[in-house]
Amino acid sequence: MIGTIQRNIKKLSFVLWLIVAAFVGTIFLVWGRGAFTGGANYLAKVGDVEILPQDYQRAYMKMVDFYRNMMKGQFSNELLKAMHVKEQVLNMLINKALILYAAKREGLVVSPMEVAQAIQSIDAFKVGGVFNKDRYVRVLKLNGYSPVEFERELYQDIMRKKLEATIKLSVVVDDFEAAKYAKWLLEKGKIDYFTANVLDFAGMVDVNDKKLKEFYLKHRELFRTQPKISFLYVKVNPSQFIKNVMVTDEDVKEYYRENQDLFVDKKGNLEPLSAVKKEVIQKVREEKARKEALRAIKRFRNAVVKGEDFVSAAKKFGFSVEEVPLTEKDKLKQLPAPVVDRIFALKANDVSDVIKSGSDFYLVKVKEKVESRIPPFEEIRWKVEQAYREANAADAAKRWAEDFVKKAKEAGGLEKACKAMGLKYQVKTSDYFTRRGVKIGDETYRALAMEALSRKVGDVGFVVENGKLVVFSLKEKKEPSKEELAKAVKELKPRLLVRKRDEVWTQFLTDLKERVEIKINKRLWESMG
């Protein structure tokens, strides 16, 4: 909340002004403490902590703005529903309320002075380094808050932070625990191993029509075809018209007068027209050519819309026509993405509006459009079978590996087992590795490292990772030296403390959710849309 206001303050245009900081202490006398309790019409209630409809609406709009900025042109209301943003927001608010409830139960308090000091410390509310009440109210208003609402949230934020600090500060890490963790982390090993592509085992997957039909019905969208479209188009660039453009002295003077910001030197001074006349003439020429290109393609469109043949009309205007056969959207690499998006929004025989992309103008006429569809099972049985085999190849690889591991133990190692079974896998020996991962080729295999170092020397095992089946035998295991251990303890102890505190805090919240009664006001929740 505070961070959002701090970041957005740079966008505000009004000038900062001064007032004495002592006024902060009177805020609560003016606006009252009623902001710290909820009303009767709560959206949700966690213990005795209420979540008000306005809390939800504000949090929801902020999350929507976040996704809108992140997703750009892909943002839509349908996307919000698919991502369950409504439920995300309520869950977030319930988690905050849980912490506030627990803080109160622990007897933690936040005084009005603490809230006032927190407000006073926020740069967004300062003018000349000093808190300013008018500035405070105006900034809150721009961010959708009243002072009462903001102080209520700030009070709750401080309370939550106090509880988190109380829980986390009770956690300690001693040297013995740090040494145990360092020894585990720095333990090294070597393996003998061979790898195989998981998809190599797709042929071992058991297949029948019943399984395939069930897979098809469950994963129908996997088999949806891409829409295809065939069309004619012309591309017009202003450069095609620039040689016919006439530029008068009046044109030059007018452009210079109306675009003086383009002709300022490094010191901020306006350069005289005489010094930049060639540049101005070129810009006027380009602007006139752009307008003429747009007029020409619009006249061309009007002719086509009135019934003239697209190719004949294009020839009359001197435009070159390109024809694209039935093609899927992602294969139209010769056209800019925004143009392709517009084309696929058209129907058969539609003529597009003039489409601008960069400096170019496009006009499109659709010849044929084949919509997306999910073919019936009988039509694509081979494709369903291929997808089913690929989806279950990892399980087939694991079953094969389980059998191989038994035979490797009987044979006395990977190489002997491969030889006995007539397999041509090349057994290699890894470099030393820790639990951070085994390096094989360009890939790092973390699950392999964890599994191998959990075994005894001589053990045979396997993992499926990075699209590979890796069968291994633990060749060697080595503990860190005393010097390595001592150095690691010193470095790891602070990191381990942070991790342990986070784990304790997470478990505290999990336990809290199971103990505290959570009520949802169904009527209000459903009205939230």
Side-chain angles (χ1 to χ4, degrees), residues 251-292:
D251 292 333
V252 173
K253 290 175 183 176
E254 182 181 353
Y255 188 89
Y256 175 77
R257 185 170 59 250
E258 293 179 357
N259 298 276
Q260 292 186 357
D261 57 307
L262 299 177
F263 308 108
V264 176
D265 63 21
K266 294 179 180 179
K267 294 181 179 179
N269 300 318
L270 178 64
E271 296 189 83
L273 177 57
S274 59
V276 294
K277 190 170 183 178
K278 285 185 179 180
E279 183 182 351
V280 175
I281 290 172
Q282 182 59 26
K283 288 185 179 297
V284 172
R285 195 181 299 278
E286 290 171 357
E287 179 63 18
K288 282 194 167 189
R290 186 194 67 79
K291 290 179 179 178
E292 186 54 39

Side-chain angles (χ1 to χ4, degrees), residues 164-424:
E164 186 173 353
T166 301
I167 299 298
K168 287 186 173 182
L169 288 174
S170 65
V171 179
V172 295
V173 174
D174 57 28
D175 287 344
F176 176 78
E177 187 176 0
K180 185 179 178 181
Y181 176 65
K183 184 178 179 181
W184 177 86
L185 191 65
L186 296 179
E187 186 177 36
K188 294 178 182 179
K190 271 188 177 184
I191 56 171
D192 291 331
Y193 70 95
F194 67 82
T195 66
N197 289 321
V198 165
L199 292 180
D200 290 346
F201 298 88
M204 297 182 182
V205 175
D206 181 45
V207 171
N208 59 51
D209 271 4
K210 182 182 177 182
K211 290 179 179 179
L212 293 182
K213 286 178 180 177
E214 288 175 352
F215 182 81
Y216 168 79
L217 291 173
K218 189 175 180 180
H219 303 283
R220 284 167 56 85
E221 286 300 322
L222 284 176
F223 307 105
R224 180 178 291 282
T225 63
Q226 294 296 313
K228 294 181 180 180
I229 201 164
S230 63
F231 58 94
L232 303 170
Y233 76 93
V234 298
K235 181 176 80 170
V236 178
N237 186 279
S239 62
Q240 297 170 236
F241 296 83
I242 203 162
K243 63 182 180 182
N244 297 322
V245 167
M246 300 292 293
V247 178
T248 66
D249 284 343
E250 187 57 38
D251 292 333
V252 173
K253 290 175 183 176
E254 182 181 353
Y255 188 89
Y256 175 77
R257 185 170 59 250
E258 293 179 357
N259 298 276
Q260 292 186 357
D261 57 307
L262 299 177
F263 308 108
V264 176
D265 63 21
K266 294 179 180 179
K267 294 181 179 179
N269 300 318
L270 178 64
E271 296 189 83
L273 177 57
S274 59
V276 294
K277 190 170 183 178
K278 285 185 179 180
E279 183 182 351
V280 175
I281 290 172
Q282 182 59 26
K283 288 185 179 297
V284 172
R285 195 181 299 278
E286 290 171 357
E287 179 63 18
K288 282 194 167 189
R290 186 194 67 79
K291 290 179 179 178
E292 186 54 39
L294 181 57
R295 277 194 294 269
I297 199 168
K298 283 183 175 180
R299 290 198 301 270
F300 167 55
R301 182 183 186 279
N302 289 337
V304 174
V305 169
K306 287 177 181 178
E308 282 195 49
D309 176 71
F310 192 91
V311 175
S312 300
K315 191 177 293 185
K316 187 189 301 181
F317 281 87
F319 297 152
S320 176
V321 177
E322 298 289 339
E323 182 170 359
V324 178
L326 273 175
T327 307
E328 294 177 355
K329 188 175 184 178
D330 58 1
K331 293 180 180 176
L332 277 173
K333 305 297 184 184
Q334 70 268 43
L335 293 171
V339 176
V340 173
D341 289 341
R342 295 279 292 277
I343 292 172
F344 270 84
L346 300 172
K347 299 175 182 177
N349 298 313
D350 277 357
V351 177
S352 72
D353 292 329
V354 175
I355 305 169
K356 186 177 186 303
S357 180
S359 60
D360 296 321
F361 298 104
Y362 295 83
L363 191 75
V364 176
K365 179 167 183 180
V366 176
K367 295 180 69 179
E368 183 183 358
K369 187 174 184 182
V370 178
E371 298 292 351
S372 165
R373 72 185 184 103
I374 299 174
F377 173 79
E378 292 74 17
E379 185 180 324
I380 56 167
R381 186 192 182 285
W382 65 273
K383 189 178 287 188
V384 177
E385 180 175 342
Q386 181 182 12
Y388 179 81
R389 288 185 180 279
E390 290 176 359
N392 291 279
D395 289 336
K398 290 175 184 177
R399 288 192 294 271
W400 180 90
E402 286 169 357
D403 184 56
F404 178 88
V405 166
K406 291 176 185 176
K407 292 177 180 177
K409 289 176 180 177
E410 294 170 359
L414 303 186
E415 285 190 283
K416 290 181 179 178
C418 285
K419 187 176 181 181
M421 296 172 69
L423 301 174
K424 295 183 179 180

Side-chain angles (χ1 to χ4, degrees), residues 28 43 111 158 270 311 334 406 423 442 498:
F28 298 92
L43 175 63
S111 69
I158 296 171
L270 178 64
V311 175
Q334 70 268 43
K406 291 176 185 176
L423 301 174
D442 295 330
V498 170

